[in-house]
């Protein structure tokens, strides 16, 4: 069931009053943390900032790189940042354990998770079930790894027969390229292009995205603490509005977006990151759901699936309810969210 705007507003995230959306009178500083180092999809924020869209909407943006969605979630909860871009799956366990610092998804950017099982042809793994008995690598606690049991269940993998190898996040893709593990779990558009950057031939990369192989759940989103949203509903709505305008710019002007990111990181590879963006666009953003309902569209059944599989993965006995984790009250009208 796709939730209507009215039904979501009626359910609402507990304690959040609907914002009155008015033109901002002055710029206010806002601290924004990404999920990782600058990548192509982050151009929606950098280009919007360069074009003055955040400023026009009353926001003086400070955007910092992240060090993983889990780290961004913790920093948001601590108050170090006002708004973050993080994988919404990280919030299920966190909210269950920290109800006083509850985080709320206010704009679901990636309609499909980018989590994937990734290998190279030389491994001989021709289908997901073939990873049984093989060396599967990922950092401990990494989101794609934590979701693997749920993916294994829907794709016929004997999860008990998988031999896990743990490593630091920055070593995962190198270890796959060097043959130290047979496969890895991770974000498709991260690992794929990291392998390309390491000299791996693209025809040798084999991947099974979770969302395209039976586990269709949401990915990264714009997130903020519930109490911050209570105090700053106008700023939250303006941030979402600016981000959607930035996404439209990124779709229309990818080269300009890559250049805007290059200004912020001298080592940013514009050509590679544009290709990473195109994969993100095609696999996680311009989905049938988004084409029909606009960017940020929410579906309660899919949200509840995400909550359930994460609760099972992390052993959460008191998972949050859908209406406490997701809201569309800060989104502009559907007509303004259509991406063509």
């Amino acid at each position: 069931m796709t939730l209507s705007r009215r039904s979501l507003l009626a359910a609402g995230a507990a304690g959040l009053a609907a914002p009155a959306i008015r033109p901002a009178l002055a710029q206010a500083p806002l601290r924004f943390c990404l999920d990782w180092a600058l990548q192509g999809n982050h151009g929606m924020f950098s280009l919007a900032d360069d074009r003055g869209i955040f400023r026009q909407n009353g926001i003086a943006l400070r955007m910092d790189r992240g060090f993983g969605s889990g780290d961004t979630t913790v920093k948001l909860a601590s108050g170090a940042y006002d708004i973050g871009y993080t994988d919404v799956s990280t919030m299920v366990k966190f909210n269950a354990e920290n109800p006083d610092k509850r985080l709320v998804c206010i704009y679901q950017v990636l309609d499909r998770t980018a989590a994937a099982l990734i290998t190279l042809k030389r491994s001989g793994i021709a289908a997901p079930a073939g990873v049984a008995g093989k060396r599967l690598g990922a950092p401990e606690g990494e989101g794609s790894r934590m979701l693997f049991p749920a993916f294994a269940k829907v794709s016929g993998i004997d999860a008990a027969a998988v031999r896990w190898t743990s490593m630091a996040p920055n070593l995962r893709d190198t270890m796959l390229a060097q043959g130290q593990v047979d496969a890895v779990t991770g974000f498709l558009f991260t690992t794929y292009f990291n392998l390309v950057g390491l000299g791996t031939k693209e025809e040798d990369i084999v991947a099974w995205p979770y969302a395209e192989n039976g586990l269709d759940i949401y990915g990264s989103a714009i997130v903020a603490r519930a109490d911050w949203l209570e105090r700053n509903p106008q700023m939250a709505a303006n941030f979402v509005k600016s981000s959607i305008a930035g996404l439209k710019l990124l779709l229309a002007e990818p080269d300009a977006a890559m250049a805007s990111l290059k200004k912020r990181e001298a080592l940013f590879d514009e050509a590679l990151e544009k290709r990473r963006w195109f994969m993100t666009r095609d696999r996680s953003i311009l989905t049938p759901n988004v084409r029909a309902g606009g960017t940020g569209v929410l579906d309660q059944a899919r949200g509840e699936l995400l909550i359930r599989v994460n609760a099972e993965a992390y052993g959460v006995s008191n998972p949050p309810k859908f209406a406490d984790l997701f809201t569309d009250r800060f989104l502009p009208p559907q007509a303004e969210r259509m991406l063509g």
Side-chain angles (χ1 to χ4, degrees), residues 116-139:
L117 172 65
I118 305 153
T119 187
L120 301 177
K121 284 185 178 178
R122 69 183 180 213
S123 71
I125 301 171
V131 77
K134 300 287 188 177
R135 299 165 300 172
L136 183 56

Side-chain angles (χ1 to χ4, degrees), residues 21 30 49 72 160 162 180 266 285 332 335:
I21 309 302
L30 186 144
D49 190 32
T72 298
V162 171
Q180 297 181 57
I285 290 183

Side-chain angles (χ1 to χ4, degrees), residues 68-85:
S69 286
D71 185 67
T72 298
T73 295
V74 171
K75 287 175 177 174
L76 281 171
S78 73
Y81 289 90
D82 304 309
I83 289 181
Y85 182 64

Side-chain angles (χ1 to χ4, degrees), residues 64-208:
D64 293 336
R65 66 153 291 173
F67 293 87
S69 286
D71 185 67
T72 298
T73 295
V74 171
K75 287 175 177 174
L76 281 171
S78 73
Y81 289 90
D82 304 309
I83 289 181
Y85 182 64
T86 186
D87 189 337
V88 73
S89 284
T90 65
M91 296 160 52
V92 175
K93 181 174 185 289
F94 183 88
N95 281 6
E97 296 177 347
N98 302 275
D100 59 322
K101 299 177 180 178
R102 180 169 61 91
L103 300 175
V104 181
C105 165
I106 61 174
Y107 169 32
Q108 188 63 56
V109 180
L110 298 191
D111 184 62
R112 281 182 155 177
T113 178
L117 172 65
I118 305 153
T119 187
L120 301 177
K121 284 185 178 178
R122 69 183 180 213
S123 71
I125 301 171
V131 77
K134 300 287 188 177
R135 299 165 300 172
L136 183 56
E140 289 187 16
E142 188 267 338
S144 302
R145 177 171 176 171
M146 297 303 296
L147 289 174
F148 181 78
F151 177 64
K153 185 182 298 184
V154 300
S155 57
I157 299 172
D158 181 1
V162 171
R163 293 180 288 148
W164 282 100
T165 298
S166 300
M167 71 285 287
N170 62 317
L171 296 178
R172 178 192 54 201
D173 305 327
T174 299
M175 290 181 68
L176 176 59
Q178 293 177 349
Q180 297 181 57
V181 293
D182 301 304
V184 298
T185 61
F187 273 19
L188 174 62
F189 48 73
T190 297
T191 292
Y192 186 99
F193 287 103
N194 285 353
L195 290 170
V196 171
L198 290 167
T200 304
K201 294 180 179 179
E202 292 187 58
E203 58 267 27
D204 291 336
I205 303 172
V206 182
W208 294 278

